Amino acid sequence: MKNRINEIEELMEQILKEKSAPMLKKLLDKSVIFRNFSPRNSILITMQCPEATTVMGKKAWERYGMKPRNDGIVITGIKREIRGDEEKKAQWLKRNPFRQINDGFLPERLKSLQNGNKPTKEELELASSTISDFEKIYDDWVKSKPKEVRFANLYIPVKVYDISQCEIVNEEKFKNLPRPKMDIKFPDKLPIQEILEEKGFSIDGSTPVSIGKAVGKVVLIDGQADEQEKTFQLAQAWASTKVKEPHEAVMAATMLMLHTGLSEAVPDSVLEIIFLKVKTPKELSTAISKAGKAFREMAEELETAIEKEVRTEKLKEIDEIDLELY
């Protein structure tokens, strides 16, 4: 595990030393392959198993009738530890809203959440189906943490496995393995402008200064740019509504372009802002993590919009066929 982390650190050092946009793009490309993992862990997975397609932990595979072999993939797991005044910590944990949840979660995971471990977005949604407005209640609880209590993240090695590293031992359970809901085919022109307009943003293409960012409810782009440049500027502006720093917005937009197969839309020159702001591997890793969170949100919204377009087109085709019949 230590060797793998060292490889990433050395690669990041080289990227920053050479200020190499192509090398940074390759690293970011690895970071977006597995969206159900953090960008860092996605990089670790692709470095160890470039051919990986479906990756899960041992227990998850066993639920679907699969038996992982020993040659797994080592990634970085995070365990949250709560430190500080023991009495105040105990009183605060008693108010944890997850202590009001009795079912719907695996017992071990529920206990972990009740003891203060950070929930995923899906776990918050699941809890909200039991307790109304749970996400706000949980957020208020986190904010109520006494100053004498603090969180500490412990990084531990965890093994995961690609489907190629497993064998089927129960065919009936294997049939329940989740399949992709649909094969997303990204169009040449991504509906980013439509998504932004639906969110209440107007597009201003008259000022090519400070382009690719949202100011209030106005998105600034260069109206004279070609379509690919406009697409990237719109993505960058969209990302700027989700992250604070401009270089993180550039990175998130780059991730989205790589994910959708539009890497040509990312000019090397625009990545210079990252090299101006980021000086160490640790800073680069932090920026990738923050940008990765924004990227995942954007990718989900984009895919939902494309699915909606596909359904609308299919319904339109059916209506046209019906009209022809009459």
Side-chain angles (χ1 to χ4, degrees), residues 2 18 36 43 64 77 109 112 131 146 163 188 191 201 214 240 243 255 261 265 284 291 312 320 324 326:
K2 190 174 181 181
E18 298 182 17
N36 53 328
I43 293 169
Y64 296 109
R109 181 57 183 163
S112 175
I131 298 176
I163 192 168
D188 294 332
F201 290 91
S240 75
V243 292
M255 289 177 172
L284 181 56
T312 301
E320 288 174 353
E324 287 175 6
Y326 286 97

Side-chain angles (χ1 to χ4, degrees), residues 221-235:
I221 64 168
D222 180 3
Q224 302 304 311
D226 63 32
E227 283 305 312
Q228 280 198 341
E229 289 174 327
K230 284 180 184 176
T231 297
F232 182 79
Q233 290 171 19
L234 286 166

Side-chain angles (χ1 to χ4, degrees), residues 1-16 23-24 27-28 30-31 38-48 74-76 280-282 284-286 288:
M1 178 64 185
K2 190 174 181 181
N3 290 339
R4 295 298 179 185
I5 291 175
N6 286 342
E7 282 181 37
I8 294 180
E9 299 291 336
E10 288 169 7
L11 180 57
M12 288 183 177
E13 278 184 14
Q14 187 180 356
I15 289 169
L16 293 173
M23 287 177 68
L24 179 57
L27 183 70
L28 293 177
K30 288 181 171 67
S31 77
S38 69
R40 187 182 183 86
N41 280 335
S42 179
I43 293 169
L44 278 169
I45 290 167
T46 54
M47 286 177 71
Q48 294 172 74
V74 182
I75 63 172
T76 304
T280 67
K282 185 177 180 181
L284 181 56
S285 181
T286 299
I288 289 174

Side-chain angles (χ1 to χ4, degrees), residues 5-164:
I5 291 175
N6 286 342
E7 282 181 37
I8 294 180
E9 299 291 336
E10 288 169 7
L11 180 57
M12 288 183 177
E13 278 184 14
Q14 187 180 356
I15 289 169
L16 293 173
K17 183 180 179 180
E18 298 182 17
K19 293 183 172 56
S20 171
M23 287 177 68
L24 179 57
K25 279 185 189 177
K26 285 183 180 179
L27 183 70
L28 293 177
D29 195 29
K30 288 181 171 67
S31 77
V32 301
I33 292 175
F34 295 98
R35 271 169 37 206
N36 53 328
F37 290 89
S38 69
R40 187 182 183 86
N41 280 335
S42 179
I43 293 169
L44 278 169
I45 290 167
T46 54
M47 286 177 71
Q48 294 172 74
C49 188
E51 70 279 7
T53 56
T54 306
V55 179
M56 291 191 288
K58 184 174 184 289
K59 289 184 179 179
W61 279 121
E62 288 173 347
R63 286 202 295 273
Y64 296 109
M66 302 284 280
K67 181 182 178 183
R69 298 195 293 270
N70 291 330
D71 52 341
I73 303 163
V74 182
I75 63 172
T76 304
I78 300 177
K79 181 180 179 183
R80 178 186 272 185
E81 190 174 270
I82 302 176
R83 298 173 180 173
D85 186 286
E86 289 298 323
E87 186 177 342
K88 292 195 174 182
K89 181 174 79 172
Q91 290 174 353
W92 181 61
L93 284 174
K94 279 182 182 178
R95 301 197 304 274
N96 184 342
F98 272 103
R99 299 206 170 194
Q100 300 174 39
I101 305 290
N102 297 315
D103 51 30
F105 293 84
L106 292 172
E108 285 184 12
R109 181 57 183 163
L110 181 57
K111 185 177 180 181
S112 175
L113 293 169
Q114 290 172 343
N115 286 332
N117 271 295
K118 189 175 181 179
T120 63
K121 182 181 177 182
E122 292 74 19
E123 287 170 336
L124 286 171
E125 289 173 355
L126 179 58
S128 295
S129 65
T130 303
I131 298 176
S132 178
D133 211 17
F134 184 89
E135 289 191 42
K136 183 180 183 308
I137 295 170
Y138 180 80
D139 188 48
D140 289 342
W141 172 74
V142 172
K143 290 176 181 176
S144 73
K145 179 175 65 64
K147 61 182 180 180
E148 296 86 356
V149 174
R150 65 187 185 280
F151 291 129
N153 288 331
L154 305 178
Y155 296 89
I156 54 176
V158 175
K159 264 200 173 185
V160 292
Y161 303 82
D162 179 54
I163 192 168
S164 63

Side-chain angles (χ1 to χ4, degrees), residues 248-279:
E248 292 167 0
V250 167
M251 199 175 283
T254 301
M255 289 177 172
L256 189 69
M257 295 299 99
L258 291 167
H259 174 65
T260 55
L262 296 177
S263 58
E264 302 83 6
V266 187
D268 287 355
S269 58
V270 81
L271 298 179
E272 288 176 6
I273 187 175
I274 297 171
F275 297 126
L276 288 172
K277 293 287 186 179
V278 174
K279 303 299 182 183

